[in-house]
Amino acid sequence: MNNTFDIQLSGHRSSAEERQRLLENPGFGQVFTDHMITISWTEEDGWHDARLEPYGPLTLDPATAVFHYAQELFEGLKAYRQADGSIVTFRPYANAARFNSSCERMAMPPLPEELFVRSLELLVDTDRDWVPTHEGHSLYLRPFMIATQRGLGVNSPSSSFKFIVIASPSGAYFTGGIKPVSVWLSEEYTRAAPGGTGTAKCGGNYAAAFVAQAQAVREGCDQVVWLDANEHRWVEEMGGMNLFFVHGSGSDARIVTPALTGTLLPGITRDSLLQLAPDLGFPASEGRISTDEWRAGCASGELTEVFACGTAAVITPVGRVKGAGGEWTVGSGEPGPVTMRLREELVGIQYGERPDPYGWIHKTG
Ligand SMILES: *Cc1c(COP(=O)(O)O)cnc(C)c1O
């Protein structure tokens, strides 16, 4: 298809006062803008019927495939208001590429990258008044795809799909400023196993994770940390975020993140930090770390900081760790200088307050 959209503007757009009120304290993923994007796919016609339409409920037959077999995947990225009022997104082509690699794993049709990015641009530009101006706030974009074939047969993937983009003004993901989180090492549950769907950003991974997150909360922790499926020893991710370990301090500090073994989600924030950190004087590498090494490193002082990273919360320090075998504090338990320096630089690039030598910023509206 060519990249033209049928445009149907909402007759019930929020008033400026209503929008202002909602933008004051939007929380995360609770408030949505006036419009959404939908594009359909069928075996006969491929991608077609691209629309910008009023935000609203979908009507689907109860026998629609996505409800039964969870053939679904999503992306998450943000649009940021710049000082001059213009709007940018961060590395949208990286999200488009990851969307398509998730599609491949989930037997879903890839969407041309240009069409993916065009959808974001059109929605952001139409609902540009919803992009927050408050410091640290942004417009979270949620592209996703669902299987829409009607019927309960399970022998083949759906023959039709819908791609949708919705947008949600958001404040801080974790409320209360940059407070370190405590984590529970999950030895009972597994997020992803070799050959599974750990590298795909699919809803099913999250459905399987809630029970472990609930257990973490019962253990008095904020977040779950996932370990490898075979030995329950090697650290993989924290909830829906990737992890970094800081070795040493001052001019000797370096950062290490678990390598992409096929069971981790390849985060775009993770990838950005691997590129950014060396330019700030922190060598960065991929490796592997066991829970024993984590504990011993904190005890000896060799591991000075640990943080998690992802689009929604950017960078979040990890202050305390608890597992079946005991618990310990990371560094002083407070946000560390390397964590905060990386955060400041990344957020600075996103809001246009720092130069972007990497070409990550994409003018969107
Ligand atoms: C989305 C996600 C991340 C972070 O990816 P970003 O592209 O940095 O937002 C990490 N882990 C999981 C499981 C995720 O779903």
Side-chain angles (χ1 to χ4, degrees), residues 246-255 277-278 280-283 304-305 337-338:
V246 181
H247 294 259
S249 58
S251 58
D252 288 333
R254 62 187 178 88
I255 64 171
L280 299 181
F282 308 120
T304 49
E305 306 172 35
V338 177

Side-chain angles (χ1 to χ4, degrees), residues 246 305-307 315-317 335-344:
V246 181
E305 306 172 35
V306 177
F307 64 86
I315 288 182
T316 301
V338 177
T339 302
M340 295 312 279
R341 178 71 189 94
L342 290 168
R343 187 178 206 286
E344 181 193 358

Side-chain angles (χ1 to χ4, degrees), residues 98 191 201 206 237 239-242 265 267-269 310-311:
R98 186 172 65 187
R191 190 188 86 91
K201 211 166 170 69
Y206 280 73
E237 298 192 56
M241 303 176 78
N242 296 110
L265 199 288
I268 292 162
T269 318
T311 296

Side-chain angles (χ1 to χ4, degrees), residues 103 146 245 308 363:
C103 282
I146 56 173
F245 294 81
K363 195 156 180 356

Side-chain angles (χ1 to χ4, degrees), residues 96-120:
R98 186 172 65 187
F99 189 76
N100 284 340
S101 63
S102 296
C103 282
E104 196 177 334
R105 177 62 183 82
M106 301 300 287
M108 295 166 81
L111 188 73
E113 289 187 9
E114 286 299 335
L115 186 54
F116 181 97
V117 175
R118 180 71 198 115
S119 301
L120 306 176

Side-chain angles (χ1 to χ4, degrees), residues 18-88:
E18 172 72 354
R19 209 172 45 236
Q20 225 42 54
R21 191 181 62 75
L22 291 167
L23 287 177
E24 207 39 57
N25 191 7
F28 183 84
Q30 304 296 319
V31 174
F32 296 92
T33 65
D34 293 316
H35 297 92
M36 63 184 187
I37 299 282
T38 62
I39 314 179
S40 301
W41 185 92
T42 56
E43 275 168 359
E44 312 80 68
D45 296 329
W47 290 108
H48 66 283
D49 196 17
R51 296 163 184 258
L52 172 99
E53 54 190 318
Y55 182 96
L58 306 172
T59 303
L60 293 168
D61 190 287
T64 300
V66 66
F67 296 138
H68 303 275
Y69 309 124
Q71 202 182 6
E72 186 271 357
L73 54 85
F74 66 93
E75 269 301 326
L77 71 163
K78 285 173 168 177
Y80 305 87
R81 178 79 68 178
Q82 312 287 285
D84 66 1
S86 66
I87 301 164
V88 308

